[in-house]
Amino acid sequence: MTKLKGKKILLGITGSIAAYKSAVLARLLIKEGAQVQVLMTPAAKAFITPLTLSTLTRRPAFSEVSSEESWHNHVELGLWADAMLIAPATATTLSKLAHGLADNIIVAAYLSARCPVFFAPAMDLDMWAHPATQENVRRLLSYGNHLIPVGEGELASGLVGPGRMAEPEEIASYLSKYWQQEQSLAGRKVLLTAGPTYEAIDPVRFIGNRSSGKMGVALADAAAKRGADVTLIMGPSRLSPQHPGVKTIRVETADQMFQAATRFFPDADISILAAAVADYRPKEASAEKIKKKSEGLTLELVKNPDIAASLGKTKKAGQLLVGFALETHNETANALEKLEKKNFDCIVLNSLQDAGAGFNVDTNKISILHKNNKIRNFELKSKAAVAEDILDEVETLLRQL
Ligand code: CTP
């Protein structure tokens, strides 16, 4: 777990019986070489004392934004940290975080934090299962925060089920794994297609689709963060990657995307085709705006190049090609057919049947299908977290080449 060495961690502790485990967690993080600054809600003090925590962390544990003597600068704390970890996170805290209700030092620091945020919920099983809690979790995931899954077992109420805070060892290894991913793609060239394509009907209108480009941008950022040299070929989208290392090439049509992808593909170690490419385009785009003269209008469409199939044909040993399939029915069969036909190494399937998956939402629920018919199903996660899962899978395939 050496990945925690030197990391600055803001540990937010809220009012749950699981708070007693936070002392063990703080000790574990410190033992692994992290610096830990504890923030507590007033309710947490009923379960564990600031004295215990400040003794373990060798720093005062803050439970108020200000005290009589000083103001604890939550903005500075938020900027100081390499990660913020809220463990245990109660139902109340999840709700406050999800809605930005900054009435305590943890939520204030959370809103100011630029670092990754991890939260480990702890509550009774019915509170955990309640749609209000689940909605708050979904919101937090959509902000790019990381959920450390709850455990199952006997709860403080005596009931048995999901809702227990993950064990301190699991939480520490979750953080460690997060940092382990850093630079794991150094020296690798990654090619990505993302977003929709627009096919002109006339100077004003086009045929397009509802793709926002979010999944592709999340993949570009995640791959760049792992040290890859990333080229993102992006159809019309309002979005841009955050990572300064990503080279973005903006295109409009399927044909332009095809040209750009064909140019970069020979050098790419990993190509991930997340774009929703229009399958057809108007045979001829009118040079002038089409006027509303007749009762009906028939557009003649011709097929666009299939970028994936074309790259699949020229793929060399040592290159990985990953496709996407967004399906509405017969999902697995359709995705497996595409995997085969386009010579993908694996295909990411998302179904429009799943709530929280698909276009223009911040979350996604995917399965990854492999050539040997092996299928891995994932939970609903933020697109940022889904991007990490996809890259983990790609790295596994890369090691097997
Ligand atoms: N794809 C592509 N070029 C196209 C069409 C699709 O590169 N002209 C890629 C997509 O980026 C995706 C995969 O192929 O990775 C599957 O896309 P999808 O639209 O689901 O497949 P199609 O072959 O277009 O099949 P259909 O529309 O009939 O479902």
Side-chain angles (χ1 to χ4, degrees):
M1 256 186 241
T2 46
K3 291 291 166 194
L4 296 176
K5 200 167 177 286
K7 296 290 190 223
K8 303 190 198 89
I9 300 173
L10 270 185
L11 173 59
I13 304 176
T14 71
S16 152
I17 178 67
Y20 80 91
K21 291 190 196 168
S22 305
V24 181
L25 177 60
R27 225 191 81 201
L28 203 58
L29 298 173
I30 299 263
K31 226 176 86 197
E32 297 294 338
Q35 297 176 51
V36 177
Q37 171 63 59
V38 168
L39 306 179
M40 315 174 71
T41 58
K45 290 199 283 187
F47 295 95
I48 186 156
T49 69
L51 183 61
T52 304
L53 293 159
S54 55
T55 309
L56 289 170
T57 60
R58 294 170 219 119
R59 288 166 177 271
F62 301 140
S63 57
E64 306 288 343
V65 175
S66 61
S67 62
E68 266 176 30
E69 310 86 61
S70 58
W71 181 63
H72 307 310
N73 190 332
H74 57 87
V75 179
E76 250 169 42
L77 287 170
L79 296 179
W80 167 83
D82 294 312
M84 181 167 192
L85 167 62
I86 303 163
T90 59
T92 306
T93 294
L94 293 182
S95 175
K96 287 183 183 178
L97 295 171
H99 294 88
L101 187 70
D103 70 346
N104 65 43
I105 191 163
I106 293 180
V107 187
Y110 166 77
L111 293 179
S112 316
R114 291 188 189 163
C115 58
V117 178
F118 301 81
F119 61 98
M123 66 200 73
D124 199 53
L125 78 167
D126 294 311
M127 293 174 83
W128 173 245
H130 197 282
T133 306
Q134 291 302 313
E135 181 53 34
N136 288 331
V137 169
R138 245 193 305 280
R139 273 187 183 230
L140 292 173
L141 291 176
S142 78
Y143 305 155
N145 303 155
H146 304 266
L147 164 70
I148 302 182
V150 294
E152 279 201 38
E154 194 175 332
L155 303 162
S157 60
L159 297 172
V160 177
R164 274 163 74 123
M165 184 174 87
E167 293 304 321
E169 292 76 16
E170 289 172 71
I171 297 175
S173 86
Y174 198 97
L175 284 188
S176 177
K177 223 183 109 206
Y178 177 84
W179 279 309
Q180 215 160 26
Q181 290 167 345
E182 277 184 354
Q183 304 308 306
S184 52
L185 287 175
R188 300 286 191 176
K189 284 201 165 67
V190 173
L191 171 66
L192 279 159
T193 65
T197 65
Y198 286 178
E199 313 296 328
I201 297 172
D202 68 15
V204 184
R205 295 124 176 161
F206 59 84
I207 295 176
N209 60 64
R210 297 185 198 278
S211 167
S212 60
K214 273 185 187 153
M215 196 57 245
V217 166
L219 276 162
D221 280 329
K225 226 171 63 201
R226 293 185 185 203
D229 174 355
V230 182
T231 303
L232 170 67
I233 302 172
M234 180 84 163
S237 161
R238 290 175 295 109
L239 304 174
S240 302
Q242 301 288 307
H243 197 290
V246 177
K247 280 192 272 330
T248 308
I249 296 168
R250 302 259 173 195
V251 296
E252 186 170 292
T253 66
D255 205 47
Q256 290 164 356
M257 188 175 274
F258 174 72
Q259 305 293 339
T262 308
R263 186 149 46 92
F264 285 97
F265 182 67
D267 284 338
D269 299 300
I270 303 161
S271 301
I272 308 178
L273 309 180
V277 186
D279 290 329
Y280 296 92
R281 67 174 183 275
K283 187 169 182 198
E284 264 164 61
S286 165
E288 287 165 9
K289 187 181 172 205
I290 299 173
K291 301 302 287 179
K292 183 176 44 174
K293 284 197 206 109
S294 54
E295 275 310 303
L297 176 70
T298 305
L299 283 176
E300 190 182 347
L301 303 181
V302 294
K303 223 174 191 173
N304 269 329
D306 189 322
I307 304 167
S310 160
L311 301 184
K313 278 197 191 106
T314 62
K315 189 174 73 171
K316 294 188 297 282
Q319 283 189 303
L320 274 185
L321 185 61
V322 179
F324 268 75
L326 178 72
E327 304 290 341
T328 55
H329 59 284
N330 268 342
E331 290 93 339
T332 309
N334 284 337
L336 284 172
E337 195 186 317
K338 283 174 193 170
L339 171 77
E340 178 76 21
K341 228 169 64 188
K342 306 197 187 201
N343 197 17
F344 290 138
D345 294 279
C346 65
I347 190 161
V348 181
L349 167 65
N350 33 124
S351 168
L352 276 186
Q353 308 272 11
D354 286 323
F359 293 136
N360 255 314
V361 288
D362 292 318
T363 50
N364 203 358
K365 187 164 183 294
I366 62 155
S367 304
I368 301 183
L369 284 64
H370 292 267
K371 275 187 185 154
N372 54 5
N373 286 354
K374 194 184 88 188
I375 301 182
R376 279 198 65 189
N377 298 312
F378 295 83
E379 301 284 296
L380 182 77
K381 295 183 181 188
S382 69
K383 284 189 172 163
V386 170
E388 302 294 347
D389 286 339
I390 294 171
L391 293 181
D392 284 347
E393 201 79 356
V394 163
E395 287 192 21
T396 307
L397 288 178
L398 214 52
R399 283 192 289 271
Q400 292 163 2
L401 280 180

